[in-house]
Amino acid sequence: MATQKQAGAGKAAGNFFLIHGEDEFRVKAAARARVDALCPPADQAFGLEILNGTVDNAEGAALVLRRCLGALRTPSFLGGRKVVWLQDANFFADTNLIKGDALKDARDGFAQELKQGLGDGFVLVISAGKVDGRTAFFKTCKELAAIEIFAVAEKSYQQEKPALEWAGECFRKAGLRVSGELLKAFLDRAGYDTRQIITEVEKLSVYLGARKEITAEDIALLVSPARESENWDLPNAAGHRQLQRALDILRQLLFQGESEVPLIIGLENLWRDLLILRGCLDRGWLRLSSDGWKTEAQWSTAPEVEAALGSLDKDPRKIHPFRVIKLVEQARKFSSSELQRALAETLATHERMVSGSGAPDVLLEMLLVKLLRPTGSK
Amino acid sequence: MKLKVSKEKILNSLQKVQSVVSSRTTIPILSNVLIKAEKDRIHFTATDLDVSVIAGCEAQVTKPGATTLPARRIFSIFKELPGPDIELEVDDKNQASIRSGSSFFKLVGASEDEFPPLPKLDAAKTYSLDQGTFREMVRCTCYAASHDESRPMLNGVLLSFKDAKLAVVATDGRRMALFEQEVEFPKGSEGDLILPFKTVEELNATLQSAGQLKILTTPKQIAFEFDDIIIMSKLVEGTFPNFRQVIPAQAEESIALERETLLTALRRVSLVSGDNSTSAKLAFSKNKLEITVTAPNVGEASETLPIKFTGRAITIAFNPDFLMDPLRTLTSDEISLELTDDMNPGVVKCNVPFLYVIMPMRVS
């Protein structure tokens, strides 16, 4: 969901705009805003020509590009500015579906035409999904166009931060108040897709009416669980002692067709990692330091640490520092004895699961309840 | 319901309603045709919910009634029946028995209650026109309508009743066709109506060259009544752009051209184009018109025509298909092409109240 702007010569001329990225909703919204700014809705009947750029094959793509050139060569009926919007183009990416010499030639020819200039009064706006940065077309765009990119991060952990910002913005625009914790709970259900987020916010807004404060119950009641859970979501929730969240994720994962055994192995690995890190923290072998901007994991270099950790099958010092920081946050929520008990219970449940002494899903649910129930409850 | 009808008449009526019956509809009843028999007539109705067509013919009705039967199937069956007359009987369970000569068919139908009711045109404005004139107006303009779904107003044809005239207009933003005729209608019936393209296609297929045409309109619906047919349609909502501002006030040159000769020459040279990014360059010089088409990676073609022209030399490029469209539909021997320069629109006129504005193309 990161937005990036690049300015080619077209930025100065204001006659060529490329708006692209995998965040289809924001690409569309930005392109519509750009087109409306260039050609007010009242003038669009004769001042705007829209070409649909969604095609099934290379021949279709070549035809669209030729039509686009035709539109760029025909002035507006009433004189003045003419905006040509090549909308939702899906043939600038590197895909196996839409590929071939015909497309390459058409794309290169199109780029050549763009290099010759658009002509007085013509403006070209291209909105597209992913654009292959290696093509002559993209290089021409970099040279000539004002580019806006609405990319979606590949890794889900990279998607969380921009999704939080976007969801926060959507709630603010809708005049709704939501706490940071509930915002995360909202994303846990709605997922990171921008269109889905805005739809769910609108739904909440309609439901709440005059009320402006979002509650956990509102989210549970109204927000459709659209996000696919990942296997590591379960240990993450368990590590944070979030029972309800862990149960929700477990049910979602089972609904998605995940089997119970890999899930319980994930929990075993979690308790082992946390147990080791908790021990390291207690002995002062590991500490987290922060300068207010950045947190770092610092390992003691004492010989006994080297001797103890170096002999382990899985040396915790080799875990990625980012993950160490995340695991330390979780390890601090448990005592060593709690972690030992959690590991023992998990291994026992695993054994019962594979020996057929109970329904695996029920065994997993019972394990989570037993390990994560609030202290003091029976 | 029980009746006897001439095969020729029933096929003729059914043919007129066939085109609105969709074979891929998600609402099964829309694949059926509603058949109503009353007094000495039989009526067929088909609809896709946007456009409805009703056609009728004479029949010997011994028992009035109504039913719905699969439209395409009964048309195929009636077409193949051996006798000159067809007997149709429908029981209470909507089972139809069809007899003709030695043939007998039994078909399962559906109740008329399942068929969607047609819109009511209460308090409609009414216009009366000559059918042939209206057909010509629609035929000479509809090709200029846009097929871009993002601009629904331009996806249809405008009927503008104003100042005792009917203007039929279509435009796709690169060319505009206008046909204007004087018609009589009450002063309070002035207004603009946008016909969806599908309705225009129905009119093109069914309007005849002679006879009266009655048009009834409400703010959202329109009906065309002529001969034994009624075509009902939704209107496109929205405001058609002000088409009059597109017409150039004046032109510097008006060049008389033989329509058929120009069309033939354009058709020949456009054989090397093949898509609408290629333009046909028209170079007018003293008593000569040279038409050239150059298509990258394909080739080049040129034609030279003798013309009566003594004005200043002008070279202008047009989309050849756009220039050929009015030449194909007009019937006059001669047209005039009005030009100012290579960046201003060209205007095609002829001896009927028709006008076609076409934007030139930049030649790179």
Side-chain angles (χ1 to χ4, degrees):
Chain A
M1 255 179 272
T3 313
Q4 215 182 316
K5 291 191 181 187
Q6 293 173 9
K11 176 76 175 173
N15 66 353
F16 182 17
F17 301 87
L18 171 66
I19 300 161
H20 74 100
E22 300 93 325
D23 191 340
E24 167 251 342
F25 175 78
R26 294 182 81 188
V27 166
K28 208 168 231 176
R32 171 48 75 187
R34 172 67 62 195
V35 166
D36 286 348
L38 291 164
C39 182
D43 300 338
Q44 287 182 1
F46 291 137
L48 170 67
E49 190 162 342
I50 300 176
L51 295 132
N52 180 12
T54 305
V55 296
D56 298 326
N57 51 41
E59 287 69 30
L63 183 66
V64 167
L65 288 175
R66 287 199 298 271
R67 283 188 180 150
C68 189
L69 287 178
L72 287 168
R73 286 174 185 160
T74 312
S76 158
F77 252 147
L78 304 175
R81 179 185 274 170
K82 177 178 178 180
V83 178
V84 176
W85 181 8
L86 176 54
Q87 195 180 46
D88 303 335
N90 64 344
F91 48 83
F92 293 124
D94 179 25
T95 65
N96 286 328
L97 283 174
I98 307 168
K99 215 172 189 176
D101 289 343
L103 174 59
K104 188 179 176 303
D105 291 348
R107 238 166 22 194
D108 292 352
F110 188 65
Q112 275 304 320
E113 290 276 347
L114 295 178
K115 275 184 184 167
Q116 286 173 23
L118 290 175
D120 289 343
F122 288 92
V123 180
L124 173 62
V125 178
I126 300 176
S127 58
K130 205 169 182 177
V131 175
D132 186 352
R134 299 165 301 178
T135 57
F137 165 75
F138 186 71
K139 283 166 190 159
T140 305
C141 290
K142 273 180 91 171
E143 209 178 295
L144 302 174
I147 302 176
E148 272 187 90
I149 307 168
F150 294 92
V152 173
E154 278 179 26
K155 309 281 185 195
S156 61
Y157 64 85
Q158 294 169 325
Q159 293 171 9
E160 189 180 346
K161 195 179 164 207
L164 277 168
E165 286 168 7
W166 172 246
E169 197 184 317
C170 293
F171 278 113
R172 263 193 308 281
K173 278 187 185 165
L176 300 175
R177 290 186 298 276
V178 62
S179 70
E181 202 177 312
L182 285 179
L183 198 58
K184 278 193 171 184
F186 170 81
L187 286 182
D188 273 346
R189 285 180 80 85
Y192 299 151
D193 181 76
T194 43
R195 186 184 292 277
Q196 184 69 19
I197 289 172
I198 203 159
T199 306
E200 295 298 342
V201 171
E202 280 169 9
K203 209 157 82 181
L204 281 165
S205 176
V206 170
Y207 171 72
L208 291 176
R211 184 154 63 87
K212 296 296 170 199
E213 193 79 41
I214 304 271
T215 65
E217 289 73 33
D218 298 329
I219 291 171
L221 180 69
L222 281 179
V223 180
S224 316
R227 179 181 171 240
E228 285 233 329
S229 290
E230 305 284 355
N231 276 11
W232 58 77
D233 286 336
L234 182 62
N236 270 350
H240 281 103
R241 298 195 87 135
Q242 294 168 328
L243 174 59
Q244 187 55 52
R245 189 161 170 252
L247 288 171
D248 289 345
I249 290 167
L250 172 65
R251 284 163 196 155
Q252 175 70 21
L253 286 166
L254 295 176
F255 174 75
Q256 285 168 213
E258 299 294 336
S259 65
E260 291 84 354
V261 173
L263 298 179
I264 201 162
I265 291 172
L267 288 174
E268 288 164 19
N269 292 337
L270 169 78
W271 304 131
R272 280 196 191 96
D273 288 343
L274 295 190
L275 197 53
I276 292 171
L277 290 173
R278 179 78 243 186
C280 294
L281 288 169
D282 292 344
R283 289 179 179 85
W285 294 353
L286 168 65
R287 64 186 186 88
L288 297 188
S289 67
S290 173
D291 59 2
W293 292 97
K294 201 175 159 191
T295 305
E296 276 187 349
Q298 292 182 331
W299 291 95
S300 164
T301 51
E304 81 256 28
V305 176
E306 177 60 45
L309 299 183
S311 63
L312 294 174
D313 288 343
K314 189 179 168 189
D315 186 343
R317 295 171 300 175
K318 289 182 181 163
I319 301 174
H320 191 282
F322 176 78
R323 180 152 166 74
V324 170
I325 294 164
K326 291 279 171 199
L327 286 171
V328 166
E329 278 174 28
Q330 297 176 11
R332 282 177 172 159
K333 294 181 192 285
F334 296 87
S335 66
S336 275
S337 58
E338 278 179 319
L339 289 168
Q340 275 167 0
R341 191 173 65 83
L343 180 59
E345 290 277 6
T346 308
L347 288 169
T349 305
H350 189 170
E351 204 179 312
R352 280 202 294 280
M353 197 183 274
V354 292
S355 63
S357 18
D361 54 338
V362 178
L363 289 173
L364 250 178
E365 279 200 4
M366 281 171 61
L367 174 70
L368 291 173
V369 173
K370 204 184 273 182
L371 300 182
L372 306 178
R373 68 186 167 202
T375 323
S377 63
K378 289 186 179 177
Chain B
M1 183 173 84
K2 193 174 177 184
L3 58 94
K4 188 175 177 183
V5 63
S6 138
K7 177 181 161 184
E8 191 191 333
K9 283 180 183 170
I10 201 169
L11 280 176
N12 188 33
S13 295
L14 271 175
Q15 177 112 46
K16 285 167 184 159
V17 302
Q18 283 289 309
S19 51
V20 291
V21 179
S22 169
S23 54
R24 293 191 300 272
T25 177
T26 49
I27 308 171
I29 194 70
L30 299 186
S31 309
N32 282 17
V33 60
L34 171 67
I35 304 171
K36 265 187 180 171
E38 51 191 14
K39 292 181 186 168
D40 54 354
R41 290 193 72 78
I42 178 168
H43 295 281
F44 300 94
T45 307
T47 182
D48 65 1
L49 298 179
D50 287 331
V51 183
S52 308
V53 180
I54 306 164
C57 66
E58 287 171 3
Q60 295 170 34
V61 180
T62 45
K63 189 181 170 193
T67 190
T68 76
L69 291 171
R72 295 197 192 282
R73 180 154 289 139
I74 59 160
F75 184 70
S76 311
I77 291 171
F78 288 169
K79 209 163 67 175
E80 295 302 325
L81 289 174
D85 293 320
I86 295 168
E87 285 175 42
L88 176 68
E89 193 175 352
V90 182
D91 66 17
D92 295 344
K93 290 175 184 165
N94 291 292
Q95 279 209 341
S97 304
I98 302 160
R99 285 185 183 83
S100 177
S102 57
S103 299
F104 174 75
F105 286 84
K106 202 158 202 163
L107 274 184
V108 179
S111 162
E112 69 160 326
D113 300 336
E114 290 180 36
F115 201 81
L118 295 182
K120 289 199 173 96
L121 292 172
D122 297 333
K125 291 179 188 171
T126 310
Y127 310 89
S128 282
L129 287 100
D130 176 67
Q131 204 181 136
T133 306
F134 185 71
R135 183 174 85 152
E136 197 61 9
M137 294 173 89
V138 172
R139 201 178 63 85
C140 286
T141 49
C142 64
Y143 51 79
S146 170
H147 297 285
D148 169 9
E149 286 173 9
S150 64
R151 295 188 289 181
M153 288 93 68
L154 302 188
N155 278 175
V157 170
L158 172 74
L159 308 184
S160 178
F161 291 91
K162 261 181 203 145
D163 303 329
K165 281 181 183 170
L166 164 63
V168 179
V169 190
T171 178
D172 63 3
R174 294 196 203 178
R175 52 16 192 307
M176 183 194 76
L178 161 69
F179 207 125
E180 210 164 20
Q181 280 281 8
E182 288 190 359
V183 290
E184 284 180 17
F185 56 87
K187 187 93 179 153
S189 297
E190 287 194 342
D192 286 352
L193 315 162
I194 308 174
L195 295 184
F197 201 76
K198 186 163 183 191
T199 313
V200 173
E201 286 178 316
E202 281 304 319
L203 289 169
N204 269 334
T206 46
L207 282 169
Q208 300 299 310
S209 54
Q212 271 303 107
L213 166 71
K214 197 170 152 191
I215 303 176
L216 296 101
T217 73
T218 63
K220 291 191 173 178
Q221 297 282 341
I222 189 164
F224 298 88
E225 288 184 17
F226 53 98
D227 304 334
D228 275 329
I229 303 170
I230 302 172
I231 297 176
M232 300 178 95
S233 162
K234 282 183 183 169
L235 289 166
V236 177
E237 288 182 38
T239 309
F240 202 82
N242 179 4
F243 62 91
R244 303 243 177 234
Q245 64 182 337
V246 168
I247 304 166
Q250 57 183 38
E252 287 186 7
E253 301 290 346
S254 178
I255 307 152
L257 298 161
E258 284 178 26
R259 183 185 60 82
E260 195 63 49
T261 313
L262 178 61
L263 175 61
T264 313
L266 281 167
R267 198 184 289 142
R268 271 199 294 266
V269 292
S270 62
L271 291 172
V272 295
S273 70
D275 63 67
N276 65 9
S277 69
T278 313
S279 55
K281 198 157 74 179
L282 279 69
F284 294 90
S285 54
K286 193 179 175 190
N287 295 332
K288 191 175 87 173
L289 164 61
E290 192 177 0
I291 309 172
T292 317
V293 169
T294 308
N297 306 326
V298 180
E300 191 178 313
S302 73
E303 287 270 340
T304 307
L305 308 179
I307 56 168
K308 286 178 194 158
F309 179 64
T310 53
R312 72 179 168 88
I314 299 176
T315 299
I316 189 165
F318 292 116
N319 179 319
D321 287 328
F322 288 3
L323 193 51
M324 281 191 284
D325 279 338
L327 304 179
R328 283 193 195 102
T329 51
L330 291 170
T331 50
S332 55
D333 293 337
E334 198 175 85
I335 57 124
S336 73
L337 179 61
E338 295 182 353
L339 300 173
T340 296
D341 58 34
D342 63 340
M343 287 311 286
N344 276 298
V347 179
V348 176
K349 288 180 178 172
C350 64
N351 59 359
V352 291
F354 167 82
L355 181 142
Y356 184 74
V357 184
I358 176 171
M359 289 308 295
M361 290 178 83
R362 277 188 314 130
V363 184
S364 57

